[in-house]
Amino acid sequence: MSGRSSRCEPSLVFFLAHPALPLIPTLPLSPTDRQCQAFRTDLLDWYDEHKRSMPWRETNDPYRIWVSEIMLQQTRVSTVRDYYHRFLEAFPSVEALAAADRDTVLKHWEGLGFYARARHLHEAAQRVVDEHDGAVPDTMDAIKDLKGVGPYTAAAVLSIAYQRPHAVLDGNVTRVLSRVFAVDEDATTSAAQGHLRDLANELLAPERPGDFNQAMMELGALVCTPSTPHCDRCRLNAVCRAHDAGTEESYPITPESDPVPHKDIAVGLVFGDHDRLLIQRRPDEGLLGGLWEFPGGKQEGEESMEAACRREVKEELGVGMTDVEPFYTLSHAYSHFKITLHAFRGRLADGPPEAREDQPFRWVTVDELDDYAFPRANRRLIEELERRQTEPSLFD
DNA sequence: GACGCGTGGAA
DNA sequence: TTTCCAAGCGT
């Protein structure tokens, strides 16, 4: 960015108009220094008055702030709160996290989703201990080198924990700036993201970078919301180009989303000796990587769901089932497809099972299932198992 | 650059 | 009911 005071909205006009008149000009694509300062002051004043209480705002510990930012990726504040407390109680320091078992880390992440975050955070903690003497890096190059730390998280941790002048660009900031500046390009493109990031860095309050970043996100979460934004309560409405034009809800501009595919999945609740159930661990990478589950998979061709269940159990563990009967059916949505999960219960017909590479199995009692990290859909089956265990009359 | 990757709450 | 999408990142 250059020549910022010689654009279509001359700074002199803004200077004369701003203090006294209601005719405040909306912000040009290259705001002047004075316009940026007014923006910062208005935003931070609002933030100081209206910011919500959050557990990670009670600490200066870079490790805790890092953990919170990983959890907050694509995840709402209200969801993160409890996970944050439990996770930091279990792993109060980066050393404690680094020394933990992967399964224990995943168990504390169970239900939070995007499980690669937990695996990467765990691995990154071990690198911080081994390569940085246990100190979360305070430079852009070093922190972005950690797994799971991208442009957003790097800027967030550096600004909030270390007061470094890096603007974040998340969904909130994208929306707020797209509206304030009426950005008429697809906001999901890298070109637009670059423009928005430049704008955010120009506006950034250098003396309070962490608060500025959180203020932008807080405004997006509380006031400048995706649908029906509350412009009447917005401290920036006077300079917002979209509000000036009455087109707030048309920003940010995003492409139409693709239809979500649906799959039918069959899983087997395979009972062996002593009423133990057969579970297996998913491969480390990919969907739900590292979590435990009941064996199963996609229905193929014209086969029945029960046939799909038998086939998948045979393919994954090399064993057959007897006394197979329908147990429970549920619907579930993942990030990029939906499923109907058809669960069958039955007994081990032969055996013993053989584990496939990277997919170990175990025999566990219903009570012991709680010790393992399961995907949400499997957890719902477990809840049903426990419900029927306490109400035996419903088992038939 | 496009796609894969969870979950739950709000509209 | 369905759709949207939230403090994004890795490959």
Side-chain angles (χ1 to χ4, degrees):
Chain A
M1 291 290 180
S2 62
R4 61 166 57 147
S5 24
S6 58
R7 296 304 171 118
C8 54
E9 308 276 354
S11 60
L12 180 59
V13 172
F14 181 81
F15 175 65
L16 292 173
H18 185 256
L21 303 175
L23 298 173
I24 300 167
T26 55
L27 284 169
L29 236 39
S30 291
T32 65
D33 287 345
R34 179 168 292 278
Q35 288 172 317
C36 289
Q37 285 169 21
F39 185 100
R40 286 169 204 146
T41 301
D42 290 345
L43 178 68
L44 286 170
D45 283 352
W46 172 83
Y47 179 68
D48 290 338
E49 189 177 342
H50 295 283
K51 69 177 175 184
R52 290 170 291 178
S53 169
M54 298 183 192
W56 45 90
R57 288 180 177 161
E58 312 289 319
T59 181
N60 293 319
D61 182 353
Y63 165 67
R64 291 181 171 249
I65 292 167
W66 175 30
V67 169
S68 77
E69 291 299 342
I70 299 296
M71 287 187 169
L72 285 163
Q73 289 169 8
Q74 298 286 283
T75 310
R76 285 188 163 70
V77 166
S78 56
T79 302
V80 167
R81 282 181 197 280
D82 290 344
Y83 282 92
Y84 175 84
H85 285 300
R86 289 196 297 266
F87 193 90
L88 285 165
E89 188 174 359
F91 316 113
S93 67
V94 66
E95 289 82 6
L97 179 56
D101 295 328
R102 205 262 314 258
D103 277 353
T104 307
V105 176
L106 282 173
K107 179 62 188 175
H108 283 84
W109 208 272
E110 182 184 18
L112 195 52
F114 285 142
Y115 298 96
R117 293 183 295 175
R119 302 195 305 272
H120 291 155
L121 178 61
H122 186 214
E123 176 190 327
Q126 293 172 340
R127 284 194 57 202
V128 167
V129 169
D130 292 343
E131 303 172 20
H132 301 281
D133 200 27
V136 177
D138 63 351
T139 65
M140 184 56 83
D141 285 347
I143 198 166
K144 276 186 72 173
D145 195 47
L146 298 174
K147 277 284 184 59
V149 179
Y152 165 78
T153 306
V157 173
L158 291 180
S159 65
I160 296 169
Y162 296 117
Q163 295 77 47
R164 298 291 161 79
H166 299 280
V168 300
L169 185 62
D170 73 327
N172 289 303
V173 179
T174 294
R175 184 171 58 256
V176 169
L177 294 182
S178 292
R179 286 171 175 168
V180 169
F181 294 94
V183 177
D184 285 311
E185 58 181 328
D186 181 346
T188 65
T189 66
S190 58
Q193 289 286 298
H195 297 154
L196 291 165
R197 191 181 308 280
D198 289 342
L199 275 172
N201 273 307
E202 280 197 52
L203 293 165
L204 182 70
E207 70 283 0
R208 295 179 64 187
D211 285 343
F212 177 88
N213 282 332
Q214 294 186 82
M216 288 288 283
M217 295 188 283
E218 196 84 330
L219 189 75
L222 298 181
V223 178
C224 195
T225 48
S227 61
T228 60
H230 308 94
C231 300
D232 55 322
R233 292 196 278 108
C234 183
R235 202 64 64 94
L236 303 175
N237 58 14
V239 300
C240 180
R241 300 203 131 199
H243 180 61
D244 188 59
T247 56
E248 304 91 23
E249 293 196 52
S250 60
Y251 297 97
I253 296 171
T254 58
E256 211 167 317
S257 55
D258 295 332
V260 181
H262 176 274
K263 304 176 183 181
D264 281 295
I265 306 291
V267 304
L269 305 178
V270 184
F271 286 86
D273 294 339
H274 313 296
D275 285 331
R276 287 175 190 276
L277 273 161
L278 194 50
I279 63 173
Q280 69 180 149
R281 201 174 68 193
R282 294 179 62 88
D284 291 340
E285 305 298 322
L287 182 72
L288 307 168
L291 272 64
W292 293 79
E293 68 177 2
F294 301 110
K298 283 203 304 276
Q299 178 194 37
E300 290 180 3
E302 302 298 313
E303 70 182 350
S304 67
M305 294 310 305
E306 181 182 326
C309 173
R310 292 178 180 277
R311 178 181 52 73
E312 289 286 348
V313 170
K314 186 75 174 180
E315 285 178 8
E316 297 190 338
L317 293 156
V319 297
M321 294 176 69
T322 61
D323 305 313
V324 178
E325 60 185 50
F327 175 75
Y328 197 67
T329 299
L330 60 85
S331 296
H332 186 75
Y334 292 104
S335 52
H336 52 301
F337 64 95
K338 299 177 183 176
I339 65 165
T340 301
L341 190 57
H342 306 261
F344 296 84
R345 61 187 294 272
R347 301 199 62 81
L348 183 71
D350 42 34
E354 290 181 16
R356 293 214 299 215
E357 181 73 11
D358 204 25
Q359 295 181 68
F361 70 87
R362 297 221 185 139
W363 289 106
V364 296
T365 65
V366 171
D367 287 343
E368 288 168 345
L369 290 170
D370 286 340
D371 298 334
Y372 296 81
F374 281 89
R376 187 71 184 102
N378 273 249
R379 187 49 73 186
R380 288 174 61 186
L381 293 180
I382 293 170
E383 288 170 4
E384 183 65 15
L385 276 169
E386 291 170 340
R387 194 179 70 76
R388 297 195 194 185
Q389 202 170 48
T390 51
E391 300 180 52
S393 61
L394 297 177
F395 211 95
D396 306 298

